[in-house]
Amino acid sequence: MSWLDVVSAFTQFDLAQASDRPIVIDDADVPAMMRDLDRHRLVGVAAAAVERGRVEGAIACSAIAARHDEVMASSARIELLARRCSTRLAEAGIDHRLLKGAALAHLVASDSSEREYRDVDLLVPSESMDAAVDAMGDLGARRRRPELRPGFDRRFAKSVTMRLDGLEIDLHRTIAPGPFGALVKPGDLFVLPAAVRLAGRQVPTLDRTDHLVHACYHVALGSPTPVATNLRDVVLLGSGAIDTERAVATIRRWQGEAAVQRAIRLVDESIGWLPAPLGVLRDELDAGRTDMVECYLHGDDRFAEMAKATLRVLTGRDRIDYALAIGLPDGTSAVDRVRGLLSRE
Amino acid sequence: MTASSTTYRRRNAAERRLTSNRLLVHAVGEPAGTILGGSAPVIWELLGQGVTTEDDIVAALLVRYSDTEDVIRAGVTAALADLVRADLLEGVP
């Protein structure tokens, strides 16, 4: 097998209709394969395949097991940080929802050891964003970049990134960057409660249907070339009980049809099949605002293009204030701050 | 069976199964995790299921394994001591 075939086999591993052929890895391919497993966050899946005797190649098995020890140590640290952040937010009376890997490792992976992740993602209500940043500051976290202008975070930011003990905390106001993120109604994600248990503590998260919508947004808009584990997330979420009627209504309300259709297409191309709920979404949803997807597909200047597209979906005072914040941020070094903004992702 | 009155309680921890039947346990408040091997992952699991004394753990393992009680007890005693030393368990006499 070429190492690209190997990565593809791991992407599809243990999903319904996936091949059960052995995954044969040449010794010479191991370095490139390990780089790709890291990039696509498939080390946990690969380790599960090794444990079940599905991988052939002693050097590859050994490399996967060693790397798995490392990424699981990191994921466990991040899980405990997520728990700590949630505890602090609850103490401060701030509603919140755990997003992405730290939640999905417990919700959809066969075992949490199959799903690595690299940061803590927490959704907080827009009006609580400033208080949430302060609450994380109480723990010792420091934001990576200053706020562009007072009020920008709670009105326009996708997220505020903070660092604590060498780990990253993303406080999300919405679930996507750019115009699609601006059209999301984040309050919708606080309606239905769900929880995951992290080290003995219940931490609030999205319900499965909302996780699926978020996972689709992430696949479609998070990066021009999606990470394989995020494609798996969509399939794994879609393989469970999904309220497709509510998902369709939510996506329409957020004008997210084009984003979700793109995600479903990417999943279909990569995995080769779709669970039934994804087929329903594909058939029920229109093509939507496909013009808005374009700005997400740029490389280096992606953020600038997204900012321009965001301006087009904002109206009235919001459009003026957003343009001011982007064009004339507060602070002593506007050039540096704009440069920092343009490098955000 | 030797009576042992100490009750063991697991600390809250993040857990990850590793290859070769090992288990990573990272307790809340600790800077790093501990990798459990041998019989320790099974003992950790039993403790999580409410089997909390040495005698009860030995009894549960006697059902699973064909070793003699002396052999199993020696392993359990050592593993519990390791877990306490690693600050993963609290022992209440």
Side-chain angles (χ1 to χ4, degrees):
Chain A
M1 286 173 117
S2 74
W3 57 268
L4 280 174
D5 291 335
V6 168
V7 171
S8 174
F10 284 132
T11 303
Q12 298 177 31
F13 178 74
D14 215 20
L15 300 176
Q17 300 184 19
S19 162
D20 58 0
R21 282 185 304 154
I23 300 169
V24 183
I25 304 171
D26 291 339
D27 294 351
D29 290 336
V30 169
M33 181 202 67
M34 291 310 298
R35 278 195 299 275
D36 263 24
L37 291 184
D38 264 331
R39 182 180 114 62
H40 288 288
R41 293 170 211 170
L42 290 171
V43 176
V45 171
V50 168
E51 278 295 271
R52 289 182 224 170
R54 290 280 309 284
V55 178
E56 291 182 7
I59 291 178
C61 289
S62 171
I64 289 168
R67 183 67 186 135
H68 186 241
D69 284 6
E70 294 169 355
V71 297
M72 286 302 110
S74 172
S75 292
R77 276 187 74 205
I78 296 165
E79 176 175 323
L80 295 180
L81 178 60
R83 181 187 190 275
R84 196 173 159 207
C85 293
S86 173
T87 302
R88 181 69 198 101
L89 289 171
E91 286 168 355
I94 299 168
D95 204 358
H96 57 281
R97 296 287 184 269
L98 185 66
L99 304 174
K100 297 163 71 173
L104 297 178
H106 294 277
L107 279 178
V108 299
S110 303
D111 188 285
S112 59
S113 62
E114 294 183 15
R115 176 65 164 87
E116 66 255 43
Y117 43 91
R118 296 178 182 173
D119 57 7
V120 174
D121 294 283
L122 288 156
L123 180 74
V124 296
S126 303
E127 65 274 15
S128 302
M129 183 57 103
D130 297 340
V133 170
D134 289 345
M136 295 301 96
D138 294 343
L139 295 178
R142 293 290 171 263
R143 53 186 304 157
R144 285 182 62 190
R145 297 189 179 89
E147 189 173 23
L148 287 174
R149 273 182 173 253
F152 183 88
D153 292 344
R154 65 183 144 79
R155 293 178 65 196
F156 304 116
K158 175 207 166 203
S159 57
V160 174
T161 300
M162 306 183 77
R163 287 190 75 79
L164 178 61
D165 299 336
L167 302 176
E168 201 162 280
I169 304 162
D170 277 340
L171 290 174
H172 289 254
R173 187 190 66 83
T174 183
I175 59 167
F180 282 106
L183 291 168
V184 165
K185 317 280 185 206
D188 292 354
L189 297 168
F190 288 91
V191 174
L192 289 176
V196 286
R197 195 167 180 80
L198 303 187
R201 181 183 169 85
Q202 294 287 104
V203 172
T205 187
L206 307 180
D207 90 311
R208 192 183 188 99
T209 297
D210 289 338
H211 268 300
L212 175 64
V213 175
H214 181 200
C216 286
Y217 270 63
H218 192 50
V219 160
L221 312 173
S223 151
T225 50
V227 169
T229 200
N230 297 327
L231 296 163
R232 282 178 59 87
D233 288 341
V234 172
V235 171
L236 290 167
L237 284 161
S239 299
I242 295 295
D243 183 344
T244 52
E245 197 174 324
R246 178 160 60 85
V248 167
T250 299
I251 294 159
R252 285 181 179 148
R253 182 170 141 77
W254 297 353
Q255 300 179 52
E257 294 95 330
V260 173
Q261 291 287 17
R262 172 173 156 74
I264 292 171
R265 193 169 57 252
L266 289 168
V267 167
D268 197 11
E269 287 168 4
S270 303
I271 310 280
W273 71 282
L274 297 172
L278 293 179
V280 172
L281 297 188
R282 181 192 56 197
D283 296 342
E284 289 285 319
L285 294 169
D286 296 332
R289 302 180 66 171
T290 51
D291 58 308
M292 281 199 330
V293 174
E294 187 62 31
C295 66
Y296 294 88
L297 307 180
H298 287 258
D300 294 342
D301 58 348
R302 196 172 112 106
F303 193 88
E305 293 299 321
M306 285 195 293
K308 280 189 252 172
T310 302
L311 274 174
R312 288 195 285 273
V313 301
L314 295 175
T315 56
R317 184 78 213 178
D318 282 347
R319 179 182 287 179
I320 294 165
D321 289 348
Y322 182 80
L324 269 176
I326 297 290
L328 292 168
D330 276 357
T332 53
S333 174
V335 172
D336 284 348
R337 298 181 77 168
V338 171
R339 189 177 295 138
L341 176 71
L342 295 179
S343 67
R344 280 179 186 210
E345 285 281 340
Chain B
M1 195 176 274
T2 306
S4 172
S5 58
T6 301
T7 297
Y8 294 95
R9 193 172 58 197
R10 297 192 332 181
R11 285 183 59 193
N12 284 329
E15 298 170 31
R16 293 294 184 278
R17 285 192 314 104
L18 304 178
T19 54
S20 304
N21 297 316
R22 295 168 303 138
L23 182 71
L24 171 74
V25 180
H26 189 156
V28 171
E30 298 298 328
T34 301
I35 294 178
L36 309 181
S39 59
V42 179
I43 293 170
W44 178 260
E45 185 188 335
L46 287 169
L47 287 160
Q49 294 167 357
V51 183
T52 56
T53 67
E54 182 177 312
D55 284 349
D56 288 345
I57 293 168
V58 170
L61 293 181
L62 276 169
V63 174
R64 291 191 191 194
Y65 303 109
S66 57
D67 293 314
T68 64
E69 181 179 337
D70 286 348
V71 169
I72 286 179
R73 183 172 295 280
V76 169
T77 303
L80 287 172
D82 285 346
L83 290 168
V84 169
R85 231 183 342 264
D87 261 345
L88 297 175
L89 290 186
E90 294 163 349
V92 183

